[in-house]
């Protein structure tokens, strides 16, 4: 989940959140694009169909490491922390839950989109282990095992 329910409650008033849930459930969020800026800033951009058949351009930014801080911008009259921004977050959460984390049929393990983070964790484990500090094959194993797993995922 990109943004927890608790953080949604902290960043949106009850009315905007309820109306955003309704917009999400009605499928009003269109052309959702997810981007990452730098190491931790997540950006969501989408068009949201308003109540008068007008489409509003909505952008949501948050930091993975500061989950309570959410910035929103919308072309609607409210402009920020509106029902359109709440609907965009709910749509992104739904897509994250539905499409990103899946179970691999052969292994029963989770398939995540954080391949680089997994590699860094493995590399840190190998480098901190005193037994492997002079063993270059440990590094090769760390690096190639993740590459092999990633290539199987995209076949």
């Amino acid at each position: 989940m990109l943004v927890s329910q608790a953080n949604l409650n902290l960043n949106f008033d009850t009315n905007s959140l309820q109306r955003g849930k309704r917009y999400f459930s009605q499928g009003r969020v269109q052309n959702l694009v997810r981007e990452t800026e730098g190491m931790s800033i997540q950006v969501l951009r989408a068009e949201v169909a308003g109540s008068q058949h007008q489409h509003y351009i909505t952008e949501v930014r948050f930091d993975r490491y500061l989950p309570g801080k959410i910035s929103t911008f919308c072309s609607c009259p409210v402009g920020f922390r509106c029902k359109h921004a709440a609907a965009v977050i709910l749509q992104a959460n739904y897509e994250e839950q539905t499409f990103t984390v899946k179970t691999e049929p052969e292994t029963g393990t989770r398939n995540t989109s954080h391949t680089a983070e997994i590699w860094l964790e493995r590399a840190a484990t190998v480098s901190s282990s005193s037994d492997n500090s002079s063993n270059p094959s440990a590094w090769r194993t760390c690096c190639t095992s993740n590459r092999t797993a990633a290539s199987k995922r995209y076949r």
Side-chain angles (χ1 to χ4, degrees):
M1 179 175 292
L2 296 172
V3 179
S4 70
Q5 186 63 46
N7 283 331
L8 284 170
N9 292 337
L10 286 172
N11 284 280
F12 292 92
D13 64 70
T14 305
N15 188 41
S16 294
L17 195 51
Q18 285 179 346
R19 294 174 77 187
K21 286 178 182 178
R22 188 170 68 236
Y23 274 34
F24 160 70
S25 66
Q26 292 172 344
R28 294 185 183 214
V29 179
Q30 302 165 357
N31 303 321
L32 176 63
V33 176
R34 292 177 50 188
E35 298 175 353
T36 302
E37 292 182 357
M39 293 292 291
S40 64
I41 304 298
Q42 300 291 308
V43 181
L44 307 172
R45 289 187 186 92
E47 295 175 34
V48 182
S51 54
Q52 300 299 318
H53 301 291
Q54 182 163 353
H55 285 76
Y56 297 108
I57 306 301
T58 308
E59 180 178 284
V60 177
R61 294 174 166 267
F62 58 93
D63 190 324
R64 293 186 313 152
Y65 300 113
L66 300 170
K69 184 179 177 187
I70 300 172
S71 300
T72 68
F73 308 94
C74 187
S75 62
C76 75
V78 174
F80 64 98
R81 297 187 190 216
C82 60
K83 60 190 173 191
H84 309 107
V88 167
I89 293 170
L90 293 168
Q91 181 69 38
N93 279 349
Y94 172 76
E95 289 181 10
E96 172 89 0
Q97 213 170 17
T98 304
F99 302 116
T100 302
V101 179
K102 298 178 182 173
T103 302
E104 292 290 331
E106 308 102 35
T107 62
T109 59
R110 291 178 65 184
N111 172 9
T112 68
S113 62
H114 304 292
T115 305
E117 289 178 2
I118 293 168
W119 182 88
L120 287 171
E121 287 173 9
R122 287 182 180 172
T125 303
V126 170
S127 68
S128 66
S129 172
S130 60
D131 321 335
N132 296 327
S133 60
S134 61
N135 184 355
S137 67
W139 278 98
R140 262 187 249 110
T141 301
C142 168
C143 298
T144 58
S145 66
N146 205 35
R147 189 174 12 164
T148 303
S151 67
K152 286 180 183 174
R153 212 175 293 145
Y154 297 109
R155 286 185 190 163

